[in-house]
Amino acid sequence: MKIFTEPKKLQKWCAARRMEGRKVALVPTMGYLHEGHLSLIAEAKRRGAQEIVVSVFVNPVQFGPNEDFDKYPRDEKADLAKCRAAGATAVFFPTPANMYLDAHSVYVNEEDLSKGLCGARRPGHFRGVCTVVAKLFNLVHPHFAVFGQKDFQQAAVIRRMVRDLNFDLDVVVAPIVREPSGLARSSRNTYLSDDERKRACALSQALFAAASAVKAKGKVPWKAERAKIVRRLESAGLVVDYVEAVDGETLAPVKRLEKGVAVLLAVYCGKTRLIDNILIK
Ligand code: PAF
């Protein structure tokens, strides 16, 4: 497994692999790898990637001034071991200084899908995500890149960026990986105390209940279902940031739950902000 810290060296190596006819996949991460990330590497393998490049970079540009950039968990040694065991062929560990040179002044802004949901609560977040992901796409030039459905809005924003800026690659979105309790895997779960971890199960339980209601009744009015979800979250002691139902493609708000609708939520569990979602099938 190759290890790169220099963007130029990574770019050269990836270009050479592509020239040899190798199928290249990119798995962008912020590290502190868990089962969710490993499932993205497995998905790249399943799709026949011959080179799997995992980037590990806690991207400062996508964090707000009062967010958790400084305390975001990091463990390079464990990440390397996990990448190796999962079958990555290269890992990219840049530093902020070599990703963002002095006087860096070009950013990528998606101006539609980034407006609501997490974008409304985390100003500048998707600008940071789009900028770093565009840079990674230019460095690796993968045939496809794999993202997790856990960040549902992020996946939609990146798909739109790829379409609108003509990036020559496919965006693959892999399903959410959950703990046995239903809690969606996230590096931020390490912030949770035992009691918070128990209470955080209400997120997935509320989402599964909404999906079951659609299964049982067909179309379900969103207003009443939303009230049930909020009650469930609040009675678990969680503070609701948002609970919204949107079209799974356009992220436009909907009035009814039905096939193709995504229910997205963000809550505070103590000091930790957690997100989760379900796409109704
Ligand atoms: O989803 C993430 O971990 C990050 O937002 C990403 C896509 C690696 C960009 O920093």
Side-chain angles (χ1 to χ4, degrees):
M1 187 176 75
K2 301 284 288 181
I3 300 169
F4 296 96
T5 53
E6 286 292 320
K8 269 272 170 244
K9 288 193 179 147
L10 171 76
Q11 196 170 41
K12 239 175 125 176
W13 183 83
C14 291
R17 299 293 79 75
R18 220 181 141 101
M19 282 291 283
E20 291 168 358
R22 309 274 289 166
K23 186 163 177 180
V24 181
L26 168 66
V27 178
T29 81
M30 297 206 301
Y32 213 72
L33 303 180
H34 51 66
E35 295 292 324
H37 298 112
L38 302 183
S39 80
L40 307 182
I41 300 175
E43 182 65 28
K45 242 191 197 167
R46 206 182 62 74
R47 288 175 181 258
Q50 294 157 307
E51 301 294 351
I52 302 176
V53 181
V54 178
S55 62
V56 175
F57 180 54
V58 185
N59 173 34
V61 181
Q62 71 189 69
F63 288 80
N66 299 316
E67 293 183 356
D68 56 346
F69 175 72
D70 287 331
K71 74 164 191 177
Y72 196 86
R74 293 159 169 92
D75 190 343
E76 286 199 11
K77 230 173 121 189
D79 286 348
L80 278 176
K82 286 176 188 170
C83 286
R84 193 172 278 124
T89 58
V91 178
F92 179 44
F93 266 115
T95 60
N98 59 22
M99 278 301 265
Y100 297 104
L101 301 181
D102 280 349
H104 176 101
S105 59
V106 179
Y107 295 88
V108 180
N109 223 3
E110 192 287 325
E111 299 189 349
D112 175 21
L113 305 174
S114 315
K115 284 217 166 105
L117 305 161
C118 285
R121 278 92 187 163
R122 303 184 66 189
H125 171 65
F126 288 113
R127 171 180 179 265
V129 169
C130 285
T131 301
V132 81
V133 171
K135 286 166 72 68
L136 292 168
F137 286 170
N138 284 330
L139 291 172
V140 176
H141 193 183
H143 292 91
F144 67 92
V146 192
F147 295 86
Q149 190 201 312
K150 158 92 188 323
D151 297 293
F152 193 93
Q153 185 179 17
Q154 168 173 281
V157 167
I158 288 168
R159 242 191 256 113
R160 179 65 65 86
M161 175 181 83
V162 164
R163 189 198 75 170
D164 287 0
L165 295 184
N166 306 92
F167 279 104
D168 176 27
L169 58 93
D170 293 325
V171 174
V172 172
V173 180
I176 299 177
V177 177
R178 298 182 179 281
E179 296 185 0
S181 68
L183 179 63
R185 302 250 180 206
S186 163
S187 305
R188 289 188 170 99
N189 290 352
T190 54
Y191 300 152
L192 301 173
S193 67
D194 289 346
D195 171 59
E196 287 171 342
R197 205 168 250 283
K198 281 190 200 125
R199 290 193 280 123
C201 296
L203 276 81
S204 58
Q205 284 164 1
L207 292 170
F208 294 153
S212 302
V214 180
K215 211 165 185 185
K217 298 182 217 158
K219 295 180 182 174
V220 172
W222 172 234
K223 204 171 161 197
E225 197 58 35
R226 184 181 183 283
K228 280 189 208 160
I229 295 175
V230 169
R231 258 202 312 279
R232 203 170 186 136
L233 296 171
E234 288 180 347
S235 59
L238 304 170
V239 175
V240 172
D241 189 16
Y242 67 75
V243 178
E244 293 188 33
V246 300
D247 179 278
E249 296 289 324
T250 65
L251 305 189
V254 297
K255 289 203 160 60
R256 274 191 315 244
L257 295 188
E258 59 190 311
K259 188 170 167 250
V261 166
V263 179
L264 291 87
L265 50 84
V267 305
Y268 284 93
C269 181
K271 286 202 171 87
T272 305
R273 186 173 181 276
L274 298 172
I275 59 172
D276 200 350
N277 68 80
I278 198 162
L279 177 64
I280 294 173
K281 300 234 166 88

